[in-house]
Amino acid sequence: MQVWSFASGSDGNCYLLESEGTTLLVECGRPYGQIRDLVESVGLDLDSLGGIVLTHAHGDHSRSARTLSHTHRIPIYASHGTLGALRLGDPALVKPIESGKTYSVGQLDVKPFAVPHDCREPLGFRFESGTGRAAIATDLGWVPHNVARQFRDLDLLVIESNYDPHLLHTGAYPYFLKQRVSGTYGHLSNAAAGEAIVACHDRPPNLVWLAHLSEQNNSPRHALQTVGRILRRHGLGHVPIKTTHHRRSNLRWTSAIARERQLPLFA
Ligand SMILES: [Zn+2]
Ligand SMILES: [Zn+2]
């Protein structure tokens, strides 16, 4: 399994996930041309995508869904609430999915789980294949038990680490927006991300990417410091943490099994 972070934040989210020939675009909140270039930059092309997976209908996650899906005949996997809000039109390309079920897409199992966020039926995802296990959860106000359970026994956890409370409350956002961001249907703080990792107890992820960082109310330094401190306090200082970039492709992860299988190519 391989995962790329192409972009992550309120300006647009996009990740790519590949396992044994099955490729999924997770979120498509950047402009169409940029997503096409990013997919081609890793040696893949949009016509070969197995699907687009969307967490929710907010524009920073779904902006190019209609164009991508219609132009390249790519099915879209999302909740009824998300699909209804996007009004995609072509029933042949629409794949409604529900929290708690497992969907096989090529070599990948997609396991959606409900998250608390201010839109209709938002989801997070756990992806499993013979070569790895990863989960992506951004845009959630807090981490309920059913969500925390999905973070155990992962190779890679991509979790929102949206804001530092001090930067948010002393920053330029209007009062109502500060309330929205920090509310139960808003976004996760750095500390909440750290606590969610700690809640895995003795089954923490092998690697964590902190994602969807606010440009106004957070910084990579704040996120890494806060989450790192919480992990060390609970004996999890060995878990590596990295931060995604707002508009750049900056992280790529390849599972150990996938690396082993690739090795003969380079021998
Ligand atoms: Zn978002
Ligand atoms: Zn959102």
Side-chain angles (χ1 to χ4, degrees):
M1 185 182 281
Q2 300 186 83
V3 182
W4 291 263
S5 173
F6 284 163
S8 181
S10 55
D11 225 20
N13 297 270
C14 191
Y15 311 93
L16 191 71
L17 195 138
E18 185 277 334
S19 190
E20 297 157 282
T22 302
T23 309
L24 297 178
L25 197 63
V26 185
E27 320 282 45
C28 47
R30 295 294 295 169
Y32 167 77
Q34 193 183 55
I35 292 175
R36 184 195 55 215
D37 292 350
L38 284 162
V39 169
E40 287 176 359
S41 74
V42 301
L44 297 165
D45 73 282
L46 291 172
D47 290 318
S48 68
L49 288 191
I52 294 168
V53 180
L54 297 179
T55 58
H56 64 299
H58 285 161
D60 58 319
H61 298 257
S62 67
R63 185 189 309 175
S64 300
R66 179 192 292 265
T67 311
L68 279 163
S69 174
H70 284 201
T71 310
H72 300 276
R73 310 299 298 166
I74 310 167
I76 297 186
Y77 295 84
S79 68
H80 280 286
T82 298
L83 292 169
L86 292 176
R87 294 199 185 87
L88 290 161
D90 189 339
L93 296 172
V94 162
K95 307 282 181 193
I97 54 175
E98 286 174 35
S99 171
K101 296 189 175 171
T102 298
Y103 301 86
S104 291
V105 185
Q107 298 301 311
L108 280 157
D109 279 349
V110 180
K111 300 181 171 198
F113 50 90
V115 297
H117 191 51
D118 54 358
C119 60
R120 286 169 56 198
E121 277 188 83
L123 298 170
F125 294 102
R126 189 174 164 108
F127 301 96
E128 296 184 1
S129 77
T131 62
R133 287 167 297 187
I136 296 180
T138 68
D139 298 61
L140 64 167
W142 61 292
V143 182
H145 187 65
N146 76 298
V147 175
R149 246 189 359 226
Q150 307 295 333
F151 299 163
R152 292 179 194 156
D153 302 317
L154 288 171
D155 297 299
L156 170 66
L157 170 63
V158 183
I159 185 170
E160 170 163 56
S161 195
N162 184 261
Y163 68 94
D164 174 273
H166 180 72
L167 292 180
L168 175 69
H169 292 296
T170 56
Y173 271 25
Y175 179 74
F176 81 91
L177 206 50
K178 291 179 181 180
Q179 294 298 107
R180 203 206 125 210
V181 168
S182 59
T184 49
Y185 293 93
H187 293 274
L188 277 194
S189 69
N190 296 333
E195 297 295 343
I197 301 162
V198 164
C200 296
H201 302 293
D202 56 346
R203 295 153 71 186
N206 291 335
L207 170 65
V208 175
W209 290 355
L210 303 177
H212 212 297
L213 270 67
S214 167
E215 283 187 271
Q216 283 79 28
N217 310 312
N218 207 359
S219 72
R221 188 173 59 86
H222 282 86
L224 292 169
Q225 271 180 2
T226 301
V227 175
R229 195 166 49 232
I230 292 169
L231 294 187
R232 283 193 299 278
R233 198 188 302 147
H234 291 85
L236 294 177
H238 58 281
V239 176
I241 45 176
K242 299 180 176 191
T243 53
T244 58
H245 192 276
H246 304 288
R247 282 171 292 274
R248 262 207 340 258
S249 173
N250 76 322
L251 296 176
R252 174 195 183 169
W253 166 80
T254 306
S255 66
I257 299 171
R259 265 201 312 273
E260 274 167 34
R261 289 187 188 172
Q262 282 171 358
L263 275 179
L265 295 172
F266 302 107

